[in-house]
Amino acid sequence: MNRLLLAVYPEPYRSRQGEEVLACLSEAYPGRSWPPPREVAALVRAGVRARARAVVDDSARPWWLDGIHLAALALAALALVPYLQDVWHWALRIDPGQHAIAFRFSGWYPWAEGPTRIRLLPYGLLPLGCLIALLRGRAWIALPGAAAMIWAGATSHGRTVFGDEGKAGLSYYGLGAPLTAHDLVLSGALCAACAVLALCRPSRLRRRSYRWLAPVVLAMFVAGSLHIISVSPAFQRGLFVLEVAALLGAWAATAATGDHRWLIPVAAVAFVRTQAIVVRPDAFMQSFPDMVVLILLIAPLPALAIAAQRRQARALAE
């Protein structure tokens, strides 16, 4: 089981010092297949820092390009989360019945029982396609998907293709105010990021393994099997925890390396969330504690950016 902890570390570190770490763990905790929780937390924290430093040391691409790439991935994931159940049901031809996410007609699938209106595709396929293309460094493939998200949210024609959920949709929370497919700032920011990535030598983008899709497939399976819809408390709490963990991870990576690339996705999420609060001030009052957490996580952005800049200046001076 100790080898599972080594997966947190980058490949060069594992090949260079992996056996030494395993030997130290076996000597320190003989007869145990898993170290104490405090040791596990320390190893995971060190592994995340090692991965962050490995990313910074990779000079194949500028930091700002990598930051925009991370921002596009974060926005695509944020847009996909409410439609995990919908995409899973569509892919496996499952009739969700009364568990459909806020459709007036159950599911809107051709195979759904009872009164139904047929739609061609689930809206969630658009951000899912963007996410897969961006993971593989194919921003020119993600760009049409992001543009289709804008079209689906801004035009009435999107109703017949993606259903009403693709037009207005039911609000979901997480941090701050609700976001819907009708909020074009989210899809517009994703489209702008994909356009920049497609124009700035896309061959230089980082290409991640398809293994990164394993958590997405697992989330689809859980949401589809348990019928977790976007307005259920379980969904909202899960999204809240996910966003908080991602923001804290970005702060930790920035503090450990002094690099600015992780501040770009934080700024993108903050911008999308803040505009939702400004546009719908009545809605954020329903999730006021979540908005307080959002403010606490976003407020250090300028200070951390300045601290990272000073750290880089000291490193150059030395």
Side-chain angles (χ1 to χ4, degrees), residues 14-314:
R14 294 199 301 267
S15 59
R16 190 172 58 249
Q17 297 179 268
E19 295 300 327
E20 181 181 349
V21 172
L22 292 176
C24 291
L25 289 175
S26 299
E27 182 179 350
Y29 308 103
R32 297 187 57 167
S33 60
W34 197 260
R38 180 179 298 179
E39 186 68 24
V40 171
L43 289 171
V44 171
R45 182 168 57 250
V48 172
R49 290 178 178 175
R51 281 189 176 273
R53 293 191 184 97
V55 171
V56 173
D57 294 338
D58 185 4
S59 58
R61 60 196 59 82
W63 66 269
W64 59 267
L65 186 63
D66 212 13
I68 295 175
H69 194 183
L70 290 171
L73 286 169
L75 294 175
L78 185 61
L80 169 65
V81 169
Y83 308 102
L84 294 172
Q85 178 196 214
D86 192 30
V87 174
W88 183 262
H89 287 166
W90 174 82
L92 298 184
R93 296 179 65 89
I94 296 174
D95 181 5
Q98 297 304 314
H99 299 286
I101 50 174
F103 293 118
R104 293 194 301 269
F105 302 90
S106 297
W108 283 54
Y109 295 117
W111 55 87
E113 297 180 0
T116 182
R117 289 173 57 186
I118 296 176
R119 57 183 175 136
L120 298 180
L121 297 169
Y123 177 83
L125 281 183
L126 296 177
L128 177 60
C130 291
L131 182 64
I132 296 174
L134 289 168
L135 279 173
R136 298 300 295 167
R138 301 286 194 267
W140 57 274
I141 298 178
L143 181 58
M149 290 172 62
I150 298 176
W151 172 78
T155 68
S156 59
H157 300 291
R159 298 182 183 181
T160 58
V161 179
F162 301 106
D164 276 349
E165 187 72 10
K167 173 61 180 176
L170 198 64
S171 301
Y172 69 96
Y173 287 88
L175 285 175
L179 295 174
T180 70
H182 188 58
D183 292 327
L184 299 183
V185 172
L186 173 57
S187 53
L190 175 59
C191 187
C194 292
V196 172
L197 295 175
L199 293 174
C200 295
R201 296 179 62 183
S203 60
R204 301 176 64 185
L205 297 181
R206 192 182 304 277
R207 296 183 181 180
R208 294 168 174 83
S209 170
Y210 284 111
R211 289 177 295 181
W212 284 91
L213 291 174
V216 178
V217 176
L218 178 61
M220 286 184 180
F221 170 76
V222 172
S225 301
L226 301 181
H227 298 296
I228 300 178
I229 61 176
S230 58
V231 294
S232 66
F235 173 89
Q236 296 183 19
R237 291 172 189 148
L239 181 58
F240 176 84
V241 171
L242 181 63
E243 289 190 77
V244 169
L247 288 171
L248 290 178
W251 290 143
T254 303
T257 62
D259 193 82
H260 292 84
R261 73 188 67 211
W262 290 282
L263 299 182
I264 297 179
V266 172
V269 172
F271 175 71
V272 169
R273 285 297 189 188
T274 302
Q275 71 83 28
I277 294 174
V278 173
V279 172
R280 301 183 61 187
D282 57 325
F284 88 86
M285 292 302 297
Q286 303 173 17
S287 60
F288 187 75
D290 297 347
M291 191 207 66
V292 173
V293 175
L294 174 65
I295 293 175
L296 292 177
L297 288 172
I298 298 303
L301 180 62
L304 199 57
I306 295 173
Q309 182 66 33
R310 290 179 177 177
R311 180 169 179 171
Q312 285 186 347
R314 287 197 301 268

